[in-house]
Amino acid sequence: MPKFLIPFTILLVAQASAAPLESTSDEYGSHFAGRISRLNGPAKLARIRTDFANIKFLNRKDRVEFWNESYPDNRCTALVEGRTNDYLLLRIPQYDTCVRRVHFTTGSYLHFSSEDLRETVKVASELVEVLLKKRLAMQAKKDRHQKELTGHVDRVDVVNKRFEVLRQKLEIEWQKELAALEEDKARSFTEFKTSEARLNEIDTKLEAYRIEDHNLKLDRWSLDPALYYKK
């Protein structure tokens, strides 16, 4: 190995051994990174651009620790003043001290951590677990109703077929009853005509064989009071 690389290698090893190890497990997403896009010294404000999705859980006045990855032991505290989807506005109470301690300026890439964020995300995670259980139950209920709706068409088809058979049977019975009534009508009409003819025949015979009760007939004049006098 060239001699000029030995001090450089020793320096890297020393820095690596001196730097505290960050936990690789960040269960509730309280650790994130971002880059300073703008600083306002007099107002003690820093605008941070980050693609960390969980900044939506940061609220105004939440405490945030930040540090430079080159000096992980030198940390400062800031308060959240506002946020958007991509930007975080921090107020740094000890602004001048933190500039010297953390060594940041516009464009610096910093790491952030927040216990307030951790607690908020923890609560949100518990809420998500509850909502997932509710969603699972509701999804099962929805699937059950969807299955019922899907089978509704089949059930309607079965009912339609069953009543179609009954309708056809009823139609046949209806036609039979109507045919029977027509037969009764025809028979009654035939018997009516037969009876009428027999009755006419009997009336004719009665007329032919009628016997008169009176041999003498009264004249019209004898019944007219103007043509005779009472004594």
Side-chain angles (χ1 to χ4, degrees):
M1 178 182 296
K3 292 183 180 182
F4 67 89
L5 289 179
I6 294 177
F8 181 72
T9 303
I10 294 174
L11 178 62
L12 289 178
V13 172
Q15 289 182 346
S17 59
L21 295 176
E22 291 292 334
S23 174
T24 56
S25 175
D26 187 19
E27 182 181 0
Y28 296 110
S30 62
H31 178 202
F32 61 99
R35 191 175 299 278
I36 297 176
S37 64
R38 185 174 181 181
L39 291 173
N40 185 335
K44 301 181 178 181
L45 295 175
R47 188 173 67 185
I48 313 298
R49 178 176 176 82
T50 178
D51 58 359
F52 182 57
N54 284 348
I55 62 169
K56 64 184 178 182
F57 293 110
L58 280 171
N59 301 307
R60 193 169 183 271
K61 301 302 181 181
D62 280 354
R63 295 172 61 86
V64 177
E65 275 193 343
F66 64 95
W67 65 93
N68 193 316
E69 62 181 351
S70 299
Y71 309 98
D73 289 334
N74 299 336
R75 303 191 176 195
C76 274
T77 301
L79 300 176
V80 176
E81 289 294 324
R83 60 173 173 76
T84 63
N85 292 334
D86 301 317
Y87 289 92
L88 191 62
L89 183 63
L90 300 178
R91 183 170 60 85
I92 307 172
Q94 298 178 346
Y95 183 83
D96 295 331
T97 302
C98 288
V99 169
R100 295 190 300 269
R101 181 177 178 82
V102 179
H103 305 286
F104 64 85
T105 184
T106 301
S108 296
Y109 188 77
L110 301 178
H111 288 260
F112 301 87
S113 180
S114 171
E115 284 300 314
D116 293 331
L117 174 61
R118 184 180 183 277
E119 290 302 318
T120 303
V121 172
K122 181 181 178 181
V123 172
S125 298
E126 294 172 354
L127 178 60
V128 166
E129 289 182 4
V130 174
L131 291 175
L132 285 176
K133 292 179 181 178
K134 288 185 176 181
R135 187 185 187 282
L136 185 62
M138 192 58 63
Q139 182 67 42
K141 186 176 181 180
K142 173 179 173 290
D143 292 342
R144 184 174 67 254
H145 291 314
Q146 184 175 8
K147 185 178 180 180
E148 292 176 355
L149 289 174
T150 303
H152 174 73
V153 177
D154 296 335
R155 291 195 298 272
V156 169
D157 187 54
V158 169
V159 171
N160 287 339
K161 288 180 179 179
R162 180 160 57 89
F163 278 92
E164 178 63 22
V165 172
L166 295 176
R167 188 192 67 79
Q168 292 176 359
K169 290 182 178 180
L170 183 61
E171 181 79 19
I172 292 172
E173 292 297 325
W174 180 31
Q175 294 300 328
K176 285 181 179 180
E177 291 295 327
L178 289 177
L181 290 175
E182 288 296 326
E183 290 177 1
D184 290 343
K185 177 185 176 183
R187 183 173 59 256
S188 296
F189 181 76
T190 301
E191 293 176 353
F192 167 76
K193 286 298 183 182
T194 301
S195 299
E196 186 179 41
R198 293 294 301 276
L199 181 62
N200 290 335
E201 182 182 347
I202 293 172
D203 287 343
T204 301
K205 290 181 178 181
L206 284 174
E207 182 67 25
Y209 294 103
R210 185 175 61 177
I211 300 174
E212 297 292 340
D213 292 336
H214 301 284
N215 294 327
L216 299 177
K217 293 183 178 179
L218 296 176
D219 290 335
R220 173 68 179 84
W221 65 268
S222 64
L223 298 178
D224 191 346
L227 299 179
Y228 68 93
Y229 298 97
K230 294 183 179 179
K231 290 181 180 182

